[in-house]
Amino acid sequence: MIKAVIFDIGGVLVNLNMDRCLRAFKERAGLEDIEEYLDMYHQRGFIKDLESGESTEEQFYASALSHCRPGTTAKTVAECFCELLDGVNDEKIELINRLKGHYDLYLLSNNNPISMRDIAELFKSLGIPFEETFKDLFISSEMKMLKPSAEIYREVIRRTGLQPGEILFIDDSMKNIDAALAQGIRAVFYDVDTSLSQLVESEL
């Protein structure tokens, strides 16, 4: 019996606009090789270091700015980064509100403090603030672990206090799904072109 539902953030709950983000980095920051570090699923270099908690925000900005056009500021880098976020569909807000109170809800995301501040504000503006909606947040930069490592899923299981089979995990990366399944979690792949509500409700 499922007792908790864990959602990935980007690509599952929050829509992503990768093209807009990459274009912003190139046009506004002059970071022409941004694709070497940022893609839809798994990051590399200084972006991976930020999301894995291996570097601080200050270290991240120093590394990012070394790739940017002279005169670019940390504020511009942060703004370009957050161009990736593209809102939350009404269907997903309604799903969260239906599940809340019936299941423990969690977020599990490879993410960073820059984006998480914007995501927190977005969720608050939509009436689903983190502190009232989710029992816990599992964020890679805070945990210093990245999906799809086995250790992050083991830590999620430990912190929820649940049996792996009591957890339903939704992600849009098959690598992350396979890693969760290997730990006994009931993990389901989400195709961004389908209904998240129908997928989740079919599993509960």
Side-chain angles (χ1 to χ4, degrees):
M1 180 175 146
I2 297 298
K3 295 183 179 178
V5 182
I6 302 181
F7 293 99
D8 177 37
I9 300 177
V12 176
L13 291 182
V14 177
N15 301 324
L16 300 180
N17 190 326
M18 181 61 70
D19 289 343
R20 185 178 66 195
C21 180
L22 297 176
R23 186 167 61 251
F25 269 114
K26 291 178 180 181
E27 294 178 357
R28 293 160 57 185
L31 210 168
E32 296 294 339
D33 60 346
I34 182 62
E35 287 100 338
E36 296 295 318
Y37 308 99
L38 178 65
D39 68 27
M40 191 67 81
Y41 299 109
H42 301 293
Q43 315 317 330
R44 294 170 293 278
F46 58 89
I47 295 180
K48 179 182 178 182
D49 290 344
L50 180 65
E51 295 204 336
S52 66
E54 294 178 33
S55 68
T56 64
E57 279 190 66
E58 291 73 18
Q59 291 168 329
F60 163 77
Y61 285 126
S63 295
L65 289 170
S66 72
H67 293 265
C68 292
R69 183 186 304 117
T72 304
T73 64
K75 182 175 182 289
T76 296
V77 170
E79 289 170 351
C80 291
F81 214 155
C82 291
E83 287 289 342
L84 182 60
L85 308 176
D86 204 26
V88 181
N89 297 346
D90 290 344
E91 176 220 8
K92 296 175 181 179
I93 299 170
E94 292 167 3
L95 172 64
I96 291 170
N97 284 323
R98 285 199 304 274
L99 295 177
K100 190 170 58 174
H102 300 282
Y103 300 90
D104 290 336
L105 302 183
Y106 298 86
L107 298 176
L108 169 58
S109 178
N110 285 351
N111 224 309
N112 63 81
I114 301 168
S115 294
M116 286 306 298
R117 285 194 290 271
D118 271 26
I119 293 168
E121 285 301 314
L122 172 63
F123 277 50
K124 183 177 180 181
S125 73
L126 296 171
I128 46 174
F130 283 166
E131 64 276 10
E132 296 175 14
T133 307
F134 301 99
K135 191 168 183 180
D136 203 352
L137 310 181
F138 303 112
I139 307 302
S140 61
S141 59
E142 298 174 5
M143 299 173 73
K144 298 189 176 181
M145 304 173 186
L146 285 166
K147 296 180 294 183
S149 67
E151 63 179 350
I152 197 167
Y153 297 102
R154 293 185 188 127
E155 181 64 7
V156 165
I157 293 166
R158 186 191 71 79
R159 280 169 56 174
T160 62
L162 299 173
Q163 295 299 311
E166 296 174 326
I167 300 169
L168 175 63
F169 171 54
I170 312 295
D171 200 289
D172 63 332
S173 163
M174 276 308 306
K175 286 184 179 179
N176 295 340
I177 292 298
D178 289 342
L181 288 169
Q183 299 304 314
I185 294 170
R186 188 165 164 186
V188 181
F189 175 76
Y190 170 62
D191 181 334
V192 297
D193 294 322
T194 63
S195 166
L196 182 62
S197 292
Q198 289 181 11
L199 175 66
V200 172
E201 291 171 354
S202 70
E203 296 292 330
L204 296 176

